[in-house]
PDB file of all heavy atoms in Angstrom:
ATOM      1  N   ALA A 884       7.710  19.986   6.862  1.00 85.00           N
ATOM      2  CA  ALA A 884       6.371  19.689   7.353  1.00 85.00           C
ATOM      3  C   ALA A 884       5.281  20.207   6.414  1.00 85.00           C
ATOM      4  O   ALA A 884       4.099  20.069   6.720  1.00 85.00           O
ATOM      5  CB  ALA A 884       6.171  20.291   8.745  1.00 85.00           C
ATOM      6  N   ARG A 885       5.668  20.786   5.278  1.00 88.00           N
ATOM      7  CA  ARG A 885       4.687  21.318   4.329  1.00 88.00           C
ATOM      8  C   ARG A 885       4.817  20.600   2.991  1.00 88.00           C
ATOM      9  O   ARG A 885       5.900  20.552   2.399  1.00 88.00           O
ATOM     10  CB  ARG A 885       4.899  22.820   4.135  1.00 88.00           C
ATOM     11  CG  ARG A 885       4.614  23.642   5.358  1.00 88.00           C
ATOM     12  CD  ARG A 885       3.140  23.646   5.728  1.00 88.00           C
ATOM     13  NE  ARG A 885       2.324  24.297   4.718  1.00 88.00           N
ATOM     14  CZ  ARG A 885       2.024  25.597   4.713  1.00 88.00           C
ATOM     15  NH1 ARG A 885       2.513  26.387   5.655  1.00 88.00           N
ATOM     16  NH2 ARG A 885       1.241  26.106   3.776  1.00 88.00           N
ATOM     17  N   THR A 886       3.735  20.048   2.532  1.00 92.00           N
ATOM     18  CA  THR A 886       3.664  19.430   1.206  1.00 92.00           C
ATOM     19  C   THR A 886       2.365  19.896   0.555  1.00 92.00           C
ATOM     20  O   THR A 886       1.468  19.107   0.268  1.00 92.00           O
ATOM     21  CB  THR A 886       3.696  17.897   1.295  1.00 92.00           C
ATOM     22  OG1 THR A 886       2.802  17.468   2.331  1.00 92.00           O
ATOM     23  CG2 THR A 886       5.075  17.367   1.599  1.00 92.00           C
ATOM     24  N   ASP A 887       2.254  21.207   0.334  1.00 92.00           N
ATOM     25  CA  ASP A 887       0.999  21.796  -0.115  1.00 92.00           C
ATOM     26  C   ASP A 887       0.490  21.205  -1.416  1.00 92.00           C
ATOM     27  O   ASP A 887      -0.718  21.023  -1.600  1.00 92.00           O
ATOM     28  CB  ASP A 887       1.170  23.307  -0.279  1.00 92.00           C
ATOM     29  CG  ASP A 887       1.371  24.033   1.046  1.00 92.00           C
ATOM     30  OD1 ASP A 887       1.399  23.350   2.096  1.00 92.00           O
ATOM     31  OD2 ASP A 887       1.498  25.270   1.033  1.00 92.00           O
ATOM     32  N   SER A 888       1.389  20.917  -2.343  1.00 94.00           N
ATOM     33  CA  SER A 888       0.940  20.432  -3.650  1.00 94.00           C
ATOM     34  C   SER A 888       0.242  19.081  -3.536  1.00 94.00           C
ATOM     35  O   SER A 888      -0.659  18.775  -4.325  1.00 94.00           O
ATOM     36  CB  SER A 888       2.127  20.326  -4.615  1.00 94.00           C
ATOM     37  OG  SER A 888       3.100  19.429  -4.105  1.00 94.00           O
ATOM     38  N   ILE A 889       0.634  18.267  -2.539  1.00 95.00           N
ATOM     39  CA  ILE A 889      -0.010  16.969  -2.324  1.00 95.00           C
ATOM     40  C   ILE A 889      -1.217  17.105  -1.416  1.00 95.00           C
ATOM     41  O   ILE A 889      -2.311  16.628  -1.735  1.00 95.00           O
ATOM     42  CB  ILE A 889       0.994  15.959  -1.739  1.00 95.00           C
ATOM     43  CG1 ILE A 889       2.124  15.684  -2.736  1.00 95.00           C
ATOM     44  CG2 ILE A 889       0.294  14.647  -1.372  1.00 95.00           C
ATOM     45  CD1 ILE A 889       3.239  14.820  -2.188  1.00 95.00           C
ATOM     46  N   TYR A 890      -1.047  17.767  -0.280  1.00 95.00           N
ATOM     47  CA  TYR A 890      -2.137  17.888   0.692  1.00 95.00           C
ATOM     48  C   TYR A 890      -3.294  18.727   0.170  1.00 95.00           C
ATOM     49  O   TYR A 890      -4.452  18.446   0.448  1.00 95.00           O
ATOM     50  CB  TYR A 890      -1.623  18.540   1.981  1.00 95.00           C
ATOM     51  CG  TYR A 890      -0.795  17.650   2.869  1.00 95.00           C
ATOM     52  CD1 TYR A 890      -0.443  16.351   2.506  1.00 95.00           C
ATOM     53  CD2 TYR A 890      -0.346  18.113   4.098  1.00 95.00           C
ATOM     54  CE1 TYR A 890       0.331  15.554   3.324  1.00 95.00           C
ATOM     55  CE2 TYR A 890       0.424  17.323   4.940  1.00 95.00           C
ATOM     56  CZ  TYR A 890       0.755  16.040   4.550  1.00 95.00           C
ATOM     57  OH  TYR A 890       1.522  15.250   5.367  1.00 95.00           O
ATOM     58  N   LEU A 891      -2.974  19.797  -0.561  1.00 94.00           N
ATOM     59  CA  LEU A 891      -4.006  20.745  -0.974  1.00 94.00           C
ATOM     60  C   LEU A 891      -4.216  20.795  -2.481  1.00 94.00           C
ATOM     61  O   LEU A 891      -5.304  21.134  -2.931  1.00 94.00           O
ATOM     62  CB  LEU A 891      -3.651  22.163  -0.502  1.00 94.00           C
ATOM     63  CG  LEU A 891      -3.126  22.359   0.916  1.00 94.00           C
ATOM     64  CD1 LEU A 891      -2.873  23.833   1.181  1.00 94.00           C
ATOM     65  CD2 LEU A 891      -4.081  21.798   1.931  1.00 94.00           C
ATOM     66  N   GLY A 892      -3.178  20.470  -3.236  1.00 95.00           N
ATOM     67  CA  GLY A 892      -3.230  20.702  -4.675  1.00 95.00           C
ATOM     68  C   GLY A 892      -3.633  19.526  -5.529  1.00 95.00           C
ATOM     69  O   GLY A 892      -3.800  19.670  -6.745  1.00 95.00           O
ATOM     70  N   GLY A 893      -3.776  18.339  -4.922  1.00 95.00           N
ATOM     71  CA  GLY A 893      -4.174  17.187  -5.712  1.00 95.00           C
ATOM     72  C   GLY A 893      -3.053  16.547  -6.501  1.00 95.00           C
ATOM     73  O   GLY A 893      -3.294  15.697  -7.359  1.00 95.00           O
ATOM     74  N   SER A 894      -1.793  16.938  -6.242  1.00 95.00           N
ATOM     75  CA  SER A 894      -0.668  16.230  -6.870  1.00 95.00           C
ATOM     76  C   SER A 894      -0.546  14.843  -6.243  1.00 95.00           C
ATOM     77  O   SER A 894      -0.954  14.626  -5.102  1.00 95.00           O
ATOM     78  CB  SER A 894       0.635  17.004  -6.658  1.00 95.00           C
ATOM     79  OG  SER A 894       0.598  18.249  -7.302  1.00 95.00           O
ATOM     80  N   SER A 895       0.052  13.909  -6.963  1.00 97.00           N
ATOM     81  CA  SER A 895       0.178  12.555  -6.434  1.00 97.00           C
ATOM     82  C   SER A 895       1.522  12.386  -5.725  1.00 97.00           C
ATOM     83  O   SER A 895       2.495  13.086  -6.008  1.00 97.00           O
ATOM     84  CB  SER A 895       0.058  11.520  -7.554  1.00 97.00           C
ATOM     85  OG  SER A 895       1.229  11.503  -8.350  1.00 97.00           O
ATOM     86  N   VAL A 896       1.557  11.447  -4.802  1.00 97.00           N
ATOM     87  CA  VAL A 896       2.784  11.143  -4.070  1.00 97.00           C
ATOM     88  C   VAL A 896       3.876  10.689  -5.022  1.00 97.00           C
ATOM     89  O   VAL A 896       5.032  11.123  -4.924  1.00 97.00           O
ATOM     90  CB  VAL A 896       2.512  10.060  -3.006  1.00 97.00           C
ATOM     91  CG1 VAL A 896       3.813   9.580  -2.377  1.00 97.00           C
ATOM     92  CG2 VAL A 896       1.557  10.586  -1.940  1.00 97.00           C
ATOM     93  N   SER A 897       3.520   9.825  -5.969  1.00 97.00           N
ATOM     94  CA  SER A 897       4.534   9.240  -6.848  1.00 97.00           C
ATOM     95  C   SER A 897       5.154  10.255  -7.790  1.00 97.00           C
ATOM     96  O   SER A 897       6.307  10.105  -8.197  1.00 97.00           O
ATOM     97  CB  SER A 897       3.943   8.067  -7.640  1.00 97.00           C
ATOM     98  OG  SER A 897       2.792   8.477  -8.344  1.00 97.00           O
ATOM     99  N   GLU A 898       4.430  11.315  -8.138  1.00 95.00           N
ATOM    100  CA  GLU A 898       5.001  12.306  -9.052  1.00 95.00           C
ATOM    101  C   GLU A 898       5.716  13.430  -8.317  1.00 95.00           C
ATOM    102  O   GLU A 898       6.670  13.999  -8.839  1.00 95.00           O
ATOM    103  CB  GLU A 898       3.907  12.898  -9.953  1.00 95.00           C
ATOM    104  CG  GLU A 898       2.891  13.767  -9.227  1.00 95.00           C
ATOM    105  CD  GLU A 898       1.768  14.243 -10.139  1.00 95.00           C
ATOM    106  OE1 GLU A 898       1.869  14.039 -11.359  1.00 95.00           O
ATOM    107  OE2 GLU A 898       0.776  14.805  -9.627  1.00 95.00           O
TER     108      GLU A 898
END
Side-chain angles (χ1 to χ4, degrees):
R885 294 292 295 270
T886 45
D887 292 1
S888 60
I889 296 174
Y890 285 4
L891 316 181
S894 296
S895 74
V896 172
S897 55
E898 68 184 351

